[in-house]
Amino acid sequence: MRKPYPSDITREQFAQINKDLESAKKATCPRKIDIYEVFCTILYLLKNRCTWRALPHDFPDYRHVYYYGVWTKKNGKGESVLDYVLAKLIDLERYETRENPTPTMLIVDSKSVKNADIVGKKGKMPSRKALKTPH
């Protein structure tokens, strides 16, 4: 058992994303390493911006963690599995603290709203030469 780091998540939080992480990598043989430990190692790397070899010794070997790099590969939507589960964890945290997970405010540029009707009726704006009047 290793000491907890500030970047770690709880086992309960991990249970919410475990299926997403396991489905990202084909299981060709039984796992010898705990996926929770791998995920916490990646979180430690992201938070502290250290190199793979500079990981503390109580984390799994960096070569084993690097093997799970498939989590960082982007899918067809432009989002990696790691991005997806981190966003899911943030939404779960907002839900647990009763914060509203959806945006509640919208800013609309008033100029573009006013011009939207004009463009539809008049078409393109006339060129500058047509705007000049003779003296």
Side-chain angles (χ1 to χ4, degrees):
M1 189 73 184
R2 67 173 176 80
K3 66 177 186 172
Y5 288 96
S7 59
D8 288 353
I9 61 173
T10 63
R11 290 276 181 176
E12 291 81 24
Q13 290 173 319
F14 184 75
Q16 302 292 324
I17 60 170
N18 190 18
K19 288 183 181 180
D20 298 321
L21 293 174
E22 285 182 353
S23 66
K25 184 138 186 65
K26 291 182 181 178
T28 55
C29 61
R31 298 186 196 278
K32 297 177 183 175
I33 190 167
D34 187 14
I35 296 178
Y36 172 76
E37 294 295 327
V38 172
F39 188 73
C40 288
T41 306
I42 291 174
L43 290 178
Y44 182 87
L45 282 166
L46 292 173
K47 182 169 175 106
N48 296 312
R49 297 183 180 179
C50 66
T51 60
W52 288 98
R53 293 179 188 231
L55 284 170
H57 294 290
D58 51 352
F59 279 122
D61 187 30
Y62 73 92
R63 290 172 285 220
H64 296 294
V65 178
Y66 187 79
Y67 179 72
Y68 285 87
V70 71
W71 291 344
T72 60
K73 292 182 181 174
K74 304 221 181 274
N75 61 11
K77 300 175 189 173
E79 182 182 49
S80 67
V81 174
L82 187 60
D83 292 336
Y84 173 75
V85 295
L86 289 175
K88 190 173 179 181
L89 282 174
I90 290 170
D91 283 342
L92 286 172
E93 185 177 318
R94 284 182 184 165
Y95 178 75
E96 289 170 358
T97 59
R98 301 295 186 247
E99 290 181 19
N100 191 359
T102 58
T104 57
M105 185 168 59
L106 175 68
I107 299 173
V108 178
D109 183 14
S110 61
K111 287 285 186 182
S112 51
V113 172
K114 287 179 186 175
N115 291 338
D117 294 334
I118 296 170
V119 172
K121 293 177 183 175
K122 294 184 179 179
K124 294 184 180 178
M125 290 185 64
S127 66
R128 289 185 173 223
K129 288 182 182 179
L131 291 177
K132 290 184 181 178
T133 56
H135 297 256

